[in-house]
């Protein structure tokens, strides 16, 4: 049972045998019961587990479209700085996939392996008629090389610099500008110095150099960041950053012929796949420009700035840090200029694209029509509002005129009533003034209680009637009428009526006052 549990716990014991039937062995467990154990081949089983990915990759490679392509046939070691040419991918260059790079590397490793090249070298050296054999016996003459330049070149070779980097070194360039002797055919002199150093120190052979260049090319192209920096400066890729002139095309075909290749060669710098400039609906065109306006460029200018300031050539740490800071500033500036170039490319094409121009014109016309429609509706609404306001103003004016007329009529009636009251009071007083009545207090009190309708006890009509009833009567009869009117007044006011007023003729006149001394 314990063995059975171990078999279940260790997956390797359960792997299938490479061929044939697995051997079986009977034994007894700890409890005494018989058990059967399977004996398998651990070597093939372990290989199947740990090398499954490699087998799968080989199977995919055998089924890939480039199965029969031999990249090593196009490989060339003449230019150690052209990594694609070293791997035989100069036709594909930046379009090469990682699988193609790996396959090309495996093929070139078999071709440029030091052991294989050493065998070829031995065959050449064994042939006495070989011109290369005769040339090897001849010593290299470096007397035509400038002494100071030779020291600088030897130092740079010791630092691992390539021939191209040595030729672009700022000290070498300064000596060339000063027109020093012994610097003509500089590349040939650098190669000769390198051969002498390699022969003197017993360093790398030509086969070692080829294999080292092959390994370096693989290390650069298999690393994403390093490959981006290399592709950004790849001279063999024919990098073209030029833009068409800023002028409108003749028609859509002329626009596509001019701008489609520009977008195609700049799409390689995008981090994400971008659509191509083709004929299509306006929705597809808008999506195309939207994608390009949001483009994120991966272009790396690290190698470009290192040509100006190589930190490896610094004499001290402070100079190295200063070079790194300057390189970082230069790289950021170049990256900014690159983004501005891409934006200018997209904006110029967007401005002159006949489809975008027609689309903008259509939107402008729709907006203008909507604006006119909106203004027409607004004018109609304003006209309706104006008519409504006029009608309301006319109705209000009619109401105000009616109120004014009513107020005027009421005022006229009130004035008439006031005049009638005055006339009635005057007529009532004149009755008693005509009889020469001295005590006019009751008459005046009666007149004071005569007012407009609703405001006094007697109205103008009442008072006028009283005056008319006393016309032609004597003073006594007039006083009787006045006493009755006054009694009615007191009754309406709720007061007690005084004694009736008598005629002054019936009562004796008071004796005149006696004259005094002062009067005489």
């Amino acid at each position: 049972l314990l063995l059975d549990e171990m078999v279940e716990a260790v997956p390797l014991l359960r792997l299938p045998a490479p061929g044939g039937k697995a051997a079986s062995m009977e034994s007894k467990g700890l409890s005494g019961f018989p058990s059967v154990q399977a004996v398998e081949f651990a070597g093939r089983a372990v290989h199947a587990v740990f090398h499954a990915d490699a087998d799968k990759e080989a199977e995919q490679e055998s089924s890939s479209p480039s199965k029969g392509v031999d990249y090593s046939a196009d490989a060339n070691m003449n230019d150690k700085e052209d990594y694609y040419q070293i791997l035989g991918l100069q036709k594909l260059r930046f379009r090469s996939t990682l699988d193609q790079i790996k396959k090309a590397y495996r093929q070139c490793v078999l071709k440029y392996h030091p052991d294989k090249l050493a065998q070829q070298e031995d065959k050449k050296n064994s042939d006495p008629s070989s011109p290369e054999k005769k040339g090897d016996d001849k010593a290299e003459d470096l007397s035509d090389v400038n002494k100071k330049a030779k020291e600088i070149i030897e130092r740079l070779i010791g630092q691992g610099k390539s021939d191209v980097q040595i030729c672009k070194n700022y000290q070498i360039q300064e000596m060339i500008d000063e027109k020093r002797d012994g610097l003509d055919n500089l590349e040939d002199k650098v190669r000769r110095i390198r051969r002498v150093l390699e022969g003197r120190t017993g360093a790398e052979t030509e086969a070692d150099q080829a294999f080292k260049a092959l390994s370096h090319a693989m290390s650069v192209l298999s690393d994403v960041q390093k490959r981006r920096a290399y592709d950004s400066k790849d001279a063999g890729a024919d990098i073209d950053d030029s833009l068409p002139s800023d002028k409108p095309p003749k028609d859509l075909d002329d626009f596509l012929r001019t701008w489609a290749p520009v977008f195609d060669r700049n799409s390689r710098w995008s981090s994400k796949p971008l659509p191509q400039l083709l004929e299509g609906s306006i929705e597809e065109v808008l999506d195309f420009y939207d994608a390009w306006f949001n483009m994120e460029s991966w272009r790396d200018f690290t190698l470009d700035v290192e040509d100006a300031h190589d930190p490896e050539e610094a004499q001290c740490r402070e100079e190295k840090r200063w070079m790194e800071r300057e390189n970082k500033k230069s790289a950021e500036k170049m990256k900014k200029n690159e983004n501005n170039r891409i934006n200018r490319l997209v904006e110029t094409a967007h401005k002159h694209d006949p489809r975008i121009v027609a689309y903008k014109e259509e939107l402008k016309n729709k907006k203008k029509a909507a604006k006119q429609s909106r203004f027409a509706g607004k004018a109609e609404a304003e006209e309706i509002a104006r008519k409504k306001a006029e009608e309301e103003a006319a109705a209000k004016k009619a109401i105000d005129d009616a109120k004014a007329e009513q107020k005027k009529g009421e005022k006229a009636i009130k004035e008439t009533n006031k005049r009638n009251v005055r006339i009635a009071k005057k007529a009532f007083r004149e009755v008693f003034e005509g009889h020469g009545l001295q005590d006019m207090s009751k008459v005046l009190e009666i007149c004071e209680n005569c007012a407009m309708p609703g405001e006094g006890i007697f109205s103008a009509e009442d008072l006028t009637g009283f005056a008319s009833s006393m016309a032609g009567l004597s003073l006594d009869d007039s006083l009787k009428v006045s006493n009755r009117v006054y009694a009615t007044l007191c009754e309406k006011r709720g007061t007690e009526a005084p004694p009736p007023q008598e005629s002054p003729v019936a009562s004796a006149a008071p004796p005149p006052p006696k004259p005094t001394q002062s009067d005489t």
Side-chain angles (χ1 to χ4, degrees):
L1 293 176
L2 182 60
L3 291 174
D4 290 339
E5 292 178 358
M6 292 177 62
V7 171
E8 293 178 358
V10 183
L12 293 179
L13 298 177
R14 290 289 185 179
L15 292 173
K21 297 182 179 180
S24 60
M25 179 177 62
E26 294 185 1
S27 64
K28 293 184 179 181
L30 298 178
S31 60
F33 291 96
S35 60
V36 179
Q37 301 177 4
V39 180
E40 300 177 354
F41 299 94
R44 291 288 299 275
V46 172
H47 176 81
V49 172
F50 292 101
H51 299 278
D53 296 338
D55 295 341
K56 184 177 180 181
E57 182 179 351
E59 182 180 355
Q60 291 178 353
E61 182 179 341
S62 62
S63 60
S64 61
S66 59
K67 174 183 177 181
V69 179
D70 184 10
Y71 297 108
S72 62
D74 297 332
N76 193 338
M77 293 292 174
N78 293 334
D79 188 0
K80 298 294 192 300
E81 298 296 325
D82 192 345
Y83 300 149
Y84 289 109
Q85 183 178 348
I86 291 174
L87 293 174
L89 298 171
Q90 59 268 33
K91 296 180 180 179
L92 297 175
R93 305 202 77 83
F94 65 90
R95 298 181 181 86
S96 305
T97 63
L98 184 59
D99 293 336
Q100 291 173 333
I101 293 173
K102 291 180 179 179
K103 182 176 181 180
Y105 174 71
R106 285 193 291 267
Q107 293 174 353
C108 292
V109 162
L110 298 176
K111 179 179 179 180
Y112 292 103
H113 197 277
D115 295 340
K116 189 171 184 178
L117 291 179
Q119 294 177 1
Q120 297 176 0
E121 189 72 18
D122 293 340
K123 291 181 180 179
K124 292 180 181 178
N125 294 335
S126 62
D127 186 5
S129 62
S130 176
E132 297 181 3
K133 175 65 178 178
K134 295 179 182 178
D136 291 343
D137 296 336
K138 184 179 179 181
E140 192 73 48
D141 184 15
L142 299 177
S143 59
D144 59 336
V145 183
N146 186 284
K147 183 177 180 181
K148 184 177 180 180
K150 179 183 176 184
E151 294 177 355
I152 296 174
I153 293 172
E154 289 177 351
R155 176 174 58 83
L156 295 176
I157 292 175
Q159 294 177 358
K161 300 297 181 182
S162 64
D163 294 353
V164 177
Q165 291 175 332
I166 293 173
C167 293
K168 291 183 179 180
N169 180 266
Y170 73 96
Q171 293 177 322
I172 300 296
Q173 292 297 324
E174 288 178 356
M175 297 178 68
I176 294 175
D177 295 339
E178 294 174 1
K179 298 182 180 179
R180 301 278 185 92
D181 295 332
L183 292 177
D184 52 336
N185 298 327
L186 182 60
E187 295 181 358
D188 179 63
K189 288 183 171 66
V190 172
R191 284 194 296 269
R192 286 160 53 195
I193 294 174
R194 187 183 294 275
R195 285 198 300 267
V196 170
L197 289 177
E198 292 170 354
R200 182 180 65 196
T201 58
E204 301 171 335
T205 62
E206 185 178 353
D208 294 332
Q209 290 183 8
F211 193 76
K212 184 178 179 180
L214 184 64
S215 301
H216 183 62
M218 179 60 183
S219 65
V220 172
L221 298 182
S222 60
D223 186 271
V224 177
Q225 194 63 32
K226 292 181 179 179
R227 184 182 180 187
R228 286 181 174 180
Y230 177 77
D231 287 341
S232 300
K233 194 187 175 183
D234 186 9
D238 192 19
I239 299 175
D240 185 4
D241 292 338
S242 62
L243 300 179
S245 59
D246 187 2
K247 62 179 182 180
K250 299 178 181 178
D251 50 16
L252 180 58
D253 293 337
D254 184 26
F255 174 79
L256 294 177
R257 282 194 304 270
T258 304
W259 289 93
V262 181
F263 280 100
D264 183 52
R265 66 172 177 257
N266 283 277
S267 62
R268 58 175 293 192
W269 310 120
S270 176
S271 302
K272 300 178 181 178
L274 292 175
Q276 295 181 349
L277 184 61
L278 302 172
E279 295 185 9
S281 61
I282 188 61
E283 290 78 11
E284 295 175 348
V285 175
L286 295 176
D287 292 340
F288 168 82
Y289 284 107
D290 183 61
W292 274 89
F293 273 119
N294 297 321
M295 172 188 173
E296 296 180 1
S297 176
W298 55 259
R299 197 168 183 180
D300 191 345
F301 298 94
T302 305
L303 298 180
D304 294 87
V305 297
E306 286 184 355
D307 291 341
H309 301 289
D310 190 354
E312 298 297 334
E313 298 179 2
Q315 302 297 327
C316 59
R317 288 184 300 175
E318 288 75 11
E319 184 180 4
K320 182 177 181 180
R321 292 172 182 172
W322 176 83
M323 288 182 176
E324 291 175 350
R325 289 195 299 269
E326 291 297 319
N327 289 343
K328 184 178 180 181
K329 291 179 183 178
S330 301
E332 291 176 354
K333 184 177 180 181
M334 296 176 73
K335 182 70 173 179
K336 184 177 180 181
N337 294 336
E338 171 65 11
N339 293 335
N340 293 336
R341 187 186 69 85
I342 295 296
N343 292 336
R344 188 166 63 253
L345 160 67
V346 182
E347 290 173 359
T348 307
H350 186 269
K351 180 175 68 174
H352 295 307
D353 194 332
R355 297 164 296 182
I356 297 296
V357 174
Y359 178 69
K360 287 183 177 181
E361 187 67 22
E362 182 181 358
L363 290 181
K364 183 178 179 181
N365 294 334
K366 288 182 179 180
K367 186 177 181 180
K368 185 176 180 180
K371 186 176 181 180
Q372 292 177 352
S373 176
R374 186 168 62 253
F375 284 165
K378 184 177 180 181
E380 184 178 358
E382 289 178 354
E383 182 66 19
I384 294 174
R386 185 183 62 79
K387 290 183 179 180
K388 184 177 180 180
E390 290 178 354
E391 293 175 357
E392 292 178 353
K396 184 178 180 181
K397 183 179 180 182
I399 294 174
D400 293 342
D401 292 344
K403 288 182 179 180
E405 191 67 26
Q406 181 181 1
K407 189 175 181 180
K408 184 177 179 181
E410 291 176 353
K411 185 177 181 180
I413 293 172
K414 187 175 182 180
E415 293 294 333
T416 302
N417 291 334
K418 286 182 178 180
R419 187 171 61 254
N420 293 336
V421 169
R422 290 197 299 270
I423 293 172
K425 289 179 179 181
K426 183 179 180 181
F428 191 78
R429 287 196 308 270
E430 287 178 350
V431 172
F432 294 97
E433 289 175 355
H435 291 293
L437 182 63
Q438 298 295 326
D439 187 6
M440 296 286 290
S441 58
K442 291 184 177 179
V443 174
L444 294 177
E445 188 175 355
I446 292 171
C447 292
E448 288 178 358
N449 286 277
C450 178
M452 291 184 297
E455 296 181 0
I457 296 176
F458 301 114
S459 63
E461 288 79 5
D462 296 338
L463 205 60
T464 303
F466 296 152
S468 299
S469 63
M470 291 185 296
L473 297 179
S474 62
L475 180 58
D476 292 337
D477 295 334
S478 297
L479 288 175
K480 292 178 181 179
V481 175
S482 173
N483 289 332
R484 288 197 301 273
V485 172
Y486 190 77
T488 304
L489 175 63
C490 293
E491 181 181 359
K492 290 184 177 180
R493 288 189 305 187
T495 58
E496 185 178 355
Q501 185 178 5
E502 296 180 356
S503 173
V505 179
S507 61
K514 294 180 180 182
T516 60
Q517 188 69 25
S518 59
D519 293 335
T520 59

